[in-house]
Amino acid sequence: LPPQTSIQVAAGVSYNYDQSIGFSMEAFYKKLDNLIEYTNGSVFFNAYDNWEDMVETGTGKSYGLEWMAQKKKGELTGLVSYTLSRSTRKFPNINDGKEFPFRYDRRHEIKMAAVWRPSSRFEMAANWFLSSGMAISLPNTWYYDPYTRRYIDIYENRNQYRMPAYHRMDLSFGFIKQKKK
């Protein structure tokens, strides 16, 4: 198999106001070649099958914009960022040769972080993350195979469904004590 390659271009601007508040915006584009993906219906139970016969090579691309605002000084510091992006794949013999969303394609991402330090001995922090759900493939229908006595799933398109949005909040409390060393 040929090696995977990529070309990435990114451009951004940032502005710092009074060394305590910063804003930035970045755009990116990435083109990927010779990506590997398992073919539809690949089965890994037979140790004598050649894995190279179960993969396809194709292309992909990712692009998007990211905005961020950050407060760097004071008792309360933190940041807010938003990313709008898209990531797709295309393989000649998968999904009828049509482009499909990459598994980790997350259209929207919001990140917020805050640290409150009222004294030199105590700090409290919160991080919140929200993202669009990941793309997944689910069967559209199935049929019963009397020879194998199993139900066989039928998939119409690759990654045609989305998981629910994912979010998480992490909280931390820190008590700081200076030691001699």
Side-chain angles (χ1 to χ4, degrees):
L1 296 171
Q4 297 180 18
T5 60
S6 68
I7 296 173
Q8 182 171 335
V9 177
V13 294
S14 66
Y15 174 75
N16 287 320
Y17 176 75
D18 192 25
Q19 298 296 322
S20 63
I21 297 176
F23 301 96
S24 67
M25 183 176 78
E26 183 176 315
F28 65 91
Y29 178 83
K30 185 185 226 181
K31 184 178 181 305
L32 306 139
D33 290 310
N34 301 323
L35 295 174
I36 297 172
E37 185 79 21
Y38 288 108
T39 59
N40 292 334
S42 294
V43 179
F44 304 98
F45 296 120
N46 189 350
Y48 299 104
D49 287 344
N50 188 358
W51 70 269
E52 292 163 332
D53 296 334
M54 292 186 256
V55 296
E56 292 281 333
T57 58
T59 61
K61 61 184 171 184
S62 297
Y63 52 91
L65 292 167
E66 181 177 53
W67 296 271
M68 185 175 76
Q70 185 175 17
K71 183 176 184 286
K72 302 174 187 177
K73 290 185 179 179
E75 194 174 285
L76 179 66
T77 59
L79 64 88
V80 175
S81 75
Y82 171 73
T83 304
L84 174 65
S85 65
R86 185 166 182 180
S87 184
T88 60
R89 301 293 188 256
K90 187 174 182 178
F91 295 84
N93 298 318
I94 298 175
N95 206 43
D96 296 326
K98 294 182 283 189
E99 192 173 72
F100 59 91
F102 180 50
R103 174 175 163 76
Y104 299 106
D105 174 42
R106 292 185 173 140
R107 200 63 41 96
H108 304 280
E109 279 190 357
I110 299 171
K111 297 174 188 169
M112 294 180 174
V115 177
W116 179 51
R117 185 175 269 175
S119 71
S120 62
R121 301 191 64 195
F122 175 75
E123 75 176 17
M124 190 166 82
N127 293 310
W128 182 66
F129 175 77
L130 169 73
S131 106
S132 300
M134 294 188 339
I136 61 167
S137 297
L138 294 175
N140 294 36
T141 188
W142 52 266
Y143 71 91
Y144 181 74
D145 183 3
Y147 298 109
T148 62
R149 296 181 186 166
R150 294 188 319 172
Y151 289 95
I152 309 296
D153 293 329
I154 305 294
Y155 296 86
E156 187 176 329
N157 292 318
R158 180 77 58 109
N159 294 342
Q160 78 271 30
Y161 295 104
R162 291 264 172 196
M163 295 292 289
Y166 169 80
H167 69 98
R168 176 182 89 221
M169 177 173 275
D170 299 321
L171 299 172
S172 69
F173 302 94
F175 299 96
I176 302 160
K177 181 174 175 155
Q178 293 291 339
K179 295 198 173 196
K180 293 179 182 178
K181 292 186 178 183

